[in-house]
Amino acid sequence: MDFASSETAPERSLAPLHSTAMHGLKIVVIGGFGVGKTTLVRSVSEIRPLDTEATMTDVSEGVDDATAVPGKSTTTVAFDFGRITLDNEHVLYLFGAPGQQRFWFLWDRLFTGALGAIVLVDQRRISDSWYAIDRLEHQGTPFVVACNDFGDSHGPEVVRDALDLDPTVPLLMCDARSRESSKQVLIALVEHLYSAVPQGETV
Ligand SMILES: Nc1nc2c(ncn2[C@@H]2O[C@H](COP(=O)(O)OP(=O)(O)OP(=O)(O)O)[C@@H](O)[C@H]2O)c(=O)[nH]1
Ligand SMILES: [Mg+2]
């Protein structure tokens, strides 16, 4: 996979889809409100990402608890969309879900055709990502868990216990603001997807 070795982001406006691209793999980024889903899609996408951010106003007070992310002034109201090329034939399409409960009904559509998912977790409020994990386990969608860096780390074993994660589910630390770190999360997911495929079959 050549994206693993590229250190710098390509010029986003000059990142046409390879004419040899034949397989699009849909990946969903989910998790609780304000855990960094949009940030991850933005940092790793090779195209200028599409996002649907709306400004949070006083009306959301008491509805959206943004106390853990005080700098947050916008929220996703539909989805984020980005792209990253794996190799000449394979392309990942990234869909970032909205985190607020009132938009969870959109998740059904976002999951359609998804091969796998990234669950982002803020370690200060681990329980906010329980619902996402329940959904994925129920649907049988493979996923990895990535703990985003908000400065308060309990360590992977504590998070694994708190989420009651199956031992086969990869769990890693990340900083969604960093392209390199976000890339490592995607690599972990792709490797996890491939490890689940019987020899001789393709994802
Ligand atoms: N310290 C720190 N802040 C981050 C990190 N990732 C994102 N943020 C900040 O956290 C806030 C929330 O990030 P978003 O990417 O909007 O979160 P989201 O999960 O898309 O939020 P919703 O779509 O509203 O659920 C923003 O102010 C980001 O700048 C990180 O790794 N570390
Ligand atoms: Mg968002």
Side-chain angles (χ1 to χ4, degrees):
M1 285 165 230
D2 51 11
F3 87 116
S5 59
S6 78
E7 286 301 321
T8 51
E11 176 57 58
R12 292 190 190 207
S13 55
L14 300 174
L17 190 59
H18 286 204
S19 58
T20 51
M22 291 165 62
H23 307 289
L25 315 178
K26 180 178 177 182
I27 300 299
V28 183
V29 183
I30 59 171
F33 171 60
V35 292
K37 302 174 294 293
T38 299
T39 306
L40 185 141
V41 173
R42 274 185 186 156
S43 72
V44 83
S45 177
E46 67 193 9
I47 54 170
R48 190 171 296 126
L50 167 84
D51 57 39
T52 56
E53 294 296 285
T55 303
M56 294 167 64
T57 64
D58 294 349
V59 179
S60 73
E61 238 172 72
V63 181
D64 307 322
D65 182 7
T67 46
V69 273
K72 187 167 169 62
S73 58
T74 63
T75 186
T76 304
V77 294
F79 61 89
D80 314 299
F81 176 73
R83 186 189 86 201
I84 188 157
T85 299
L86 290 181
D87 57 28
N88 283 341
E89 293 185 1
H90 297 85
V91 179
L92 287 186
Y93 293 106
L94 302 173
F95 289 81
Q100 298 179 62
Q101 190 165 358
R102 63 180 176 281
F103 297 128
W104 284 355
F105 69 94
L106 292 167
W107 288 22
D108 289 337
R109 285 293 171 91
L110 282 177
F111 280 127
T112 306
L115 273 184
I118 293 164
V119 179
L120 273 180
V121 172
D122 177 345
Q123 295 187 63
R124 299 167 299 175
R125 41 198 184 99
I126 294 174
S127 58
D128 287 8
S129 293
W130 279 346
Y131 175 72
I133 289 176
D134 276 354
R135 278 285 291 260
L136 293 168
E137 287 178 346
H138 184 71
Q139 292 168 192
T141 306
F143 64 97
V144 299
V145 173
C147 297
N148 203 1
D149 179 11
F150 287 97
D152 214 359
S153 177
H154 302 302
E157 287 319 311
V158 174
V159 178
R160 188 175 280 284
D161 280 354
L163 293 174
D164 195 20
L165 276 189
D166 187 285
T168 60
V169 174
L171 182 139
L172 58 162
M173 300 294 148
C174 78
D175 183 331
R177 298 164 298 181
S178 152
R179 173 176 159 83
E180 185 52 42
S181 179
S182 301
K183 221 163 62 174
Q184 293 308 320
V185 177
L186 285 174
I187 289 169
L189 176 61
V190 173
E191 287 176 350
H192 183 54
L193 295 176
Y194 274 96
S195 72
V197 176
Q199 297 245 318
E201 286 182 30
T202 53
V203 173

